[in-house]
Amino acid sequence: MRYLNEIVNKKINEVLKGDQDAFEEIVTLFQHRLYHLCYRMLGNAQEAEDIAQEAFVRAYMNIHSFDQKRKFSTWIYRIATNLCIDRIRKKKPDYYLDAEVPGTEGLDMYSQLAAAGELPEDEVVKMETQERIQYEINRLPDKYRSVIILRYIEELPLQEIADVLEMPLGTVKTRVHRGREALRKQIGTM
Amino acid sequence: MNTCSEQIIQSMHAYLDGELSREEERILKEHLGRCTDCQKLMDELAEPLALFKNTVPVRAPEGFVNGVMARLPKEKSQAGFQRWLRNHPLLSAAALFFILMSASLLSSYDNDQQFSVTKQPNLIVEGETVIVPEGEVVKGNVVVKNGALRVEGEVDGDVTVIHGSKYMASTAVVTGKSEEIDEVFDWLWYKLKNMLKDVMPSTGKQDD
């Protein structure tokens, strides 16, 4: 791991000297990990590609503010999770859930949401594993989604999650606990 | 459903976070062994984590890296210029020197509007006209600024007229170089040449 850090820092110094090509090697090194993180956060290939690329662009533009004593992966993960959280918030509908859906009688947003967000049990059982994993992640409240992904998909230590999300370790632990409870309830009430 | 204490649930989470000591783990396992409710809760908490263990990493699509590179802001020309400066320190220093020198020389070019002439005993000055009289030999270089020069005799040296006019009579003889300077660039060139001559007197002599 230290070896990887050395390579990355060497490349970063070249980028700082104005060599844009050196950045290409950094992107190549981290592309799959970052894309995967965004894919799990957003549950959508097109958006994942867009946001992961945007994260690299932001990293390039702010490369001078990166502290080389820290891990580059933590830093780029932070940029990417923040962008994903922003994207998820923007996608949130800004209409009221109990407003009647236009053109329907007595059909409100709750019924729409139920139809889109939660599937009947027999359909869930038929899902293949990868699809099922994404389905459970998507159902998690935003607050717990990033910690659960970082902990159980990316398998980061709790302290590193605290660094990525810039939260105290205690807050991360609480969110992981509540996230596990939320998952238990989701799967239990299926 | 579960009547066991909050403390047991907390230790389940601590166990899942890998933060239980051996002794605490032993106590938890003992409890789970005799409390089916807690064992069920533990299984339910662990089940989704087992599901996530099967996650197959999704790889970035083809062309991802190129996509990033295409989205990067174009390298600023300023950055390129700075890199050039860093890579060519000697040239940069020379260029900076040249710029500063030009600035100081140019300012003297603008300010220096007064008539002046090098002092030689047998030069005749009438108003702003300098005359090298016929039959006389003027030793040394003659420089006239902002005035006219009539050469009727002989100059044993260079003749330079800056911002002025020069008239050479048929009897005139100039042993050195003879030039007129009007343009800014000529002026600069003349100044630099003189400086070089001062710095390297030997090369100046060779030219003569």
Side-chain angles (χ1 to χ4, degrees), chain A residues 17-18 20 24 31-32 35-36 40 50 53-54 56 130 133 152-153 155 173 177 180-181 184, chain B residues 13 16-17 19 41 44 51 53-56 58-60 64-65 67 69 71 73 75 83 86:
Chain A
K17 283 181 195 149
Q20 211 172 54
E24 190 169 336
Q31 58 170 332
H32 299 302
Y35 175 81
H36 185 228
R40 291 304 176 187
D50 180 35
Q53 287 187 338
E54 179 65 21
F56 279 117
Q130 298 309 310
I133 289 168
Y152 290 107
I153 306 285
E155 300 184 313
K173 280 187 190 171
H177 294 192
R180 277 195 296 248
E181 287 291 348
R184 179 180 75 88
Chain B
H13 280 293
L16 291 170
D17 288 336
E19 289 185 334
L41 178 63
E44 285 173 1
L51 174 71
K53 278 258 175 234
N54 299 317
T55 306
V56 176
V58 184
R59 290 175 69 83
F64 180 89
V65 177
M69 297 313 284
R71 279 167 78 164
E75 247 183 286
R83 198 182 333 162
R86 263 195 299 274

Side-chain angles (χ1 to χ4, degrees), chain B residues 12-144:
Chain B
M12 287 184 207
H13 280 293
Y15 171 75
L16 291 170
D17 288 336
E19 289 185 334
L20 277 194
S21 70
R22 273 218 189 137
E23 180 59 13
E24 289 167 319
E25 198 176 319
R26 194 186 57 76
I27 294 169
L28 175 67
K29 291 226 163 123
E30 208 179 80
H31 177 83
L32 294 182
R34 56 186 153 77
C35 176
T36 46
D37 276 353
C38 281
Q39 183 61 60
K40 184 169 171 281
L41 178 63
M42 186 73 206
D43 291 344
E44 285 173 1
L45 282 173
E47 194 195 321
L49 313 185
L51 174 71
F52 289 153
K53 278 258 175 234
N54 299 317
T55 306
V56 176
V58 184
R59 290 175 69 83
E62 283 289 307
F64 180 89
V65 177
N66 288 341
V68 174
M69 297 313 284
R71 279 167 78 164
L72 293 189
K74 289 277 161 293
E75 247 183 286
K76 285 180 201 135
S77 57
Q78 199 193 358
F81 178 63
Q82 282 170 352
R83 198 182 333 162
W84 187 88
L85 286 186
R86 263 195 299 274
N87 293 342
H88 305 88
L90 209 65
L91 276 176
S92 311
L96 184 66
F97 174 77
F98 186 78
I99 290 167
L100 292 178
M101 282 314 289
S102 310
S104 73
L105 292 179
L106 278 178
S107 62
S108 68
Y109 174 87
D110 274 345
N111 294 337
D112 233 2
Q113 295 297 331
Q114 279 192 322
F115 169 73
S116 71
V117 63
T118 46
K119 285 204 174 84
Q120 266 105 347
N122 39 8
L123 278 180
I124 297 170
V125 180
E126 287 176 359
E128 294 194 347
T129 304
V130 179
I131 300 163
V132 178
E134 200 175 340
E136 297 264 359
V137 177
V138 176
K139 294 269 181 197
N141 300 338
V142 176
V143 179
V144 178

Side-chain angles (χ1 to χ4, degrees), chain A residues 3-138:
Chain A
Y3 182 56
L4 177 69
N5 274 359
E6 272 170 29
I7 296 175
V8 171
N9 283 345
K10 188 169 164 277
K11 291 294 154 202
I12 288 172
N13 285 326
E14 287 170 27
V15 175
L16 284 169
K17 283 181 195 149
D19 184 359
Q20 211 172 54
D21 294 342
F23 193 70
E24 190 169 336
E25 297 178 51
I26 298 176
V27 179
T28 308
L29 275 173
F30 289 93
Q31 58 170 332
H32 299 302
R33 292 174 67 189
L34 205 69
Y35 175 81
H36 185 228
L37 172 69
C38 295
Y39 181 84
R40 291 304 176 187
M41 287 286 286
L42 300 163
N44 172 309
Q46 250 142 35
E47 281 187 314
E49 183 173 6
D50 180 35
I51 294 294
Q53 287 187 338
E54 179 65 21
F56 279 117
V57 173
R58 300 270 176 112
Y60 175 82
M61 293 199 293
N62 295 295
I63 198 85
H64 54 273
S65 69
F66 170 64
D67 177 1
Q68 293 193 18
K69 290 194 277 296
R70 294 172 179 267
K71 276 172 77 179
F72 183 77
S73 61
T74 306
W75 188 63
I76 190 100
Y77 270 33
R78 180 187 308 155
I79 298 173
T81 28
N82 285 338
L83 286 173
C84 286
I85 290 166
D86 280 353
R87 175 61 64 95
I88 292 164
R89 281 196 191 128
K90 271 184 201 142
K91 278 200 298 188
K92 277 275 153 62
D94 52 0
Y95 39 73
Y96 293 102
L97 286 174
D98 51 3
E100 205 170 280
V101 179
T104 59
E105 202 126 319
L107 206 62
D108 60 25
M109 281 297 173
Y110 283 115
S111 51
Q112 291 282 94
L113 204 71
E118 275 172 44
L119 299 169
E121 191 179 334
D122 55 334
E123 283 203 41
V124 174
V125 172
K126 273 190 285 178
M127 278 182 186
E128 56 123 355
T129 311
Q130 298 309 310
E131 203 184 344
R132 175 71 193 283
I133 289 168
Q134 194 58 47
Y135 172 72
E136 298 301 346
I137 291 172
N138 289 350

Side-chain angles (χ1 to χ4, degrees), chain A residues 166-182:
Chain A
E166 293 181 293
M167 278 176 190
L169 186 59
T171 312
V172 172
K173 280 187 190 171
T174 310
R175 289 201 181 182
V176 170
H177 294 192
R178 296 202 178 135
R180 277 195 296 248
E181 287 291 348

Side-chain angles (χ1 to χ4, degrees), chain A residues 148-162:
Chain A
I148 289 295
I149 289 173
L150 292 172
R151 184 76 188 95
Y152 290 107
I153 306 285
E154 301 297 330
E155 300 184 313
L156 296 188
L158 290 169
Q159 182 55 57
E160 223 173 302
I161 299 174

